[in-house]
Amino acid sequence: MAEEHFTDTELAFLRHARFGELPAPVRPEDRVELEETEAPRTWLDIGPSREQQRALQPGAS
């Protein structure tokens, strides 16, 4: 099988045909800062979470 060599312009067209347009960048005024509200779990938190414990309790729905 012979190798095909494309120009940069042809490669750009093929990328556009495959993936389409990039979405518009998010404007700085539309960005929001996130604050974590729950402490991350650490190695001290061995075991299931409260939600998992509730789900595993007999008679839990």
Side-chain angles (χ1 to χ4, degrees):
M1 179 185 245
E3 278 190 41
E4 295 186 48
H5 296 283
F6 295 102
T7 65
D8 288 343
T9 305
E10 291 170 329
L11 287 172
F13 171 77
L14 292 172
R15 265 193 310 276
H16 184 272
R18 182 173 180 187
F19 300 110
E21 298 263 343
L22 287 175
V26 177
R27 298 178 309 192
E29 59 268 15
D30 292 338
R31 296 179 186 167
V32 294
E33 186 173 330
L34 299 179
E35 284 193 33
E36 295 295 326
T37 57
E38 192 172 310
R41 292 183 68 167
T42 66
W43 67 273
L44 296 173
D45 297 326
I46 296 173
S49 68
R50 277 184 244 133
E51 291 82 14
Q52 291 170 329
Q53 288 173 351
R54 272 188 245 126
L56 295 175
Q57 288 175 350
S61 47

